[in-house]
Amino acid sequence: VPDHVADNIVTASVAAVKKDDTTEKCVPGFDEETKNIALWSTYVDPSSGTQDVFLDGNALPFSVGGTTSLNFDGNGVATLGIRYPDVGRVRLNARYQGSGDDAGLVMTGDGTFVARPDHFQLDIPGNPAATSVQDDNAFVAAGEDFEIRVSSINASGNVTPNFGRETPAEGVNLESTLVLPTGGDDPPLTGAFGAFGEDCNGDPAAGGTACGLFQWPEVGVIRINPRLASGSYLTTADVTGNAVSHVGRFIPARFNVNIVEQGEIEPFCDVATAFAYTGKTFNWRGGAEPVLLVEALNTGGAIMRN
């Protein structure tokens, strides 16, 4: 059975072979014959699950049971359509119990395959998906925690509950890139997902989903893209995700104001002692205006370069 994306139908083959009594070569065991073969599936990694393997639309059992009629060609090969909606490494088992002319003949065999996610899907609660840095569409303060949820999705758009239960467990990393302001600082996103099958509080959640708290330490709008942490699902192929194209706006946590120059008030009267009246309009003395240094800061107190 070829490795494939979960819930895609793939063509598997069952080859019936035997040793030729004269040449001792491997030759077809069945030739243009139809045989009833017992087929069943077993979980390998993870070692358990909730989803069936389907053969031509029918769920296979998890132990030896009924048989399926297979047509073997002149090379002793029969083909069948296999579909598995979940992810992981699975074993397909076959057994033939002879009868009639084949009485006493028992043939067994198996093959493993890996079904991987089609993609990862992100959900960011409360994200206004700002497309401008001028609009009143604030998300969270720079450096403040925000929640991201990720789901492992198969080819039909359904969650694959076994993702994250492998040994060692597969996971998802996030990559961020700056969208706005153009040419600004682009520090990395920090944070991590918790275990799959748990929510952000560590309580049980749907399998194939995970939650994490993340932080971005600048102001602006970013793009976030999920991808497989290991780079190769169970050593077969990489899996990427659907990017969230606009996350933010991230805004300053606060402003820090420093008085660089106090400044001098222009006196109302300077004939004798210079003074001004409280409650009356006054100006700053020319050349002696106050100077303020205003800094936009994130939650950690760092200055926001953007």
Side-chain angles (χ1 to χ4, degrees):
V1 186
D3 298 331
H4 59 279
V5 171
D7 218 29
N8 275 338
I9 298 175
V10 295
T11 300
S13 63
V14 178
V17 295
K18 67 178 181 180
K19 183 179 70 173
D20 185 271
D21 293 335
T22 303
T23 66
E24 296 192 350
K25 291 183 178 180
C26 189
V27 296
F30 301 140
D31 185 356
E32 300 291 349
E33 298 177 71
T34 298
K35 297 291 185 179
N36 293 323
I37 310 296
L39 296 169
W40 72 99
S41 64
T42 50
Y43 297 106
V44 178
D45 188 12
S47 59
S48 62
T50 59
Q51 304 289 306
D52 296 315
V53 175
F54 290 87
L55 166 62
D56 296 328
N58 299 311
L60 289 176
F62 291 100
S63 60
V64 180
T67 61
T68 300
S69 179
L70 298 183
N71 299 316
F72 290 86
D73 62 17
N75 296 315
V77 176
T79 59
L80 50 153
I82 292 292
R83 178 176 65 86
Y84 181 53
D86 208 345
V87 297
R89 180 173 281 111
V90 178
R91 178 173 289 113
L92 181 64
N93 307 277
R95 185 178 191 273
Y96 174 68
Q97 178 74 52
S99 61
D101 293 341
D102 288 338
L105 173 64
V106 176
M107 300 172 67
T108 61
D110 63 76
T112 60
F113 65 90
V114 172
R116 63 185 181 275
D118 179 73
H119 65 277
F120 301 113
Q121 186 71 43
L122 297 182
D123 175 40
I124 306 177
N127 173 37
T131 57
S132 167
V133 294
Q134 282 79 34
D135 296 336
D136 185 16
N137 47 14
F139 180 33
V140 296
E144 182 180 344
D145 288 344
F146 65 98
E147 188 176 301
I148 301 180
R149 303 166 189 168
V150 64
S151 301
S152 170
I153 305 296
N154 66 19
S156 298
N158 299 315
V159 175
T160 59
N162 263 1
F163 184 87
R165 299 183 62 240
E166 307 85 0
T167 303
E170 295 280 2
V172 176
N173 287 343
L174 297 180
E175 301 170 344
S176 66
T177 53
L178 182 68
V179 177
L180 295 169
T182 303
D185 272 20
D186 188 13
L189 187 73
T190 56
F193 287 113
F196 275 78
E198 295 182 358
D199 63 18
C200 269
N201 297 318
D203 296 324
T209 66
C211 182
L213 295 178
F214 292 82
Q215 310 82 33
W216 194 59
E218 255 295 348
V219 296
V221 180
I222 59 175
R223 170 189 175 94
I224 297 180
N225 187 61
R227 68 178 311 120
L228 187 68
S230 67
S232 180
Y233 185 76
L234 294 180
T235 70
T236 60
D238 196 7
V239 182
T240 58
N242 291 348
V244 180
S245 60
H246 291 78
V247 181
R249 283 182 310 128
F250 295 87
I251 62 172
R254 60 188 177 92
F255 292 101
N256 188 43
V257 181
N258 298 296
I259 300 174
V260 179
E261 297 289 346
Q262 292 280 356
E264 296 181 21
I265 294 173
E266 184 177 75
F268 178 78
C269 177
D270 57 4
V271 174
T273 303
F275 67 91
Y277 289 109
T278 299
K280 294 291 185 182
T281 300
F282 58 84
N283 298 315
W284 297 104
R285 184 191 294 276
E289 295 83 359
V291 177
L292 306 180
L293 176 64
V294 182
E295 299 168 325
L297 305 180
N298 67 13
T299 56
I303 296 174
M304 302 289 85
R305 297 180 180 274
N306 283 353

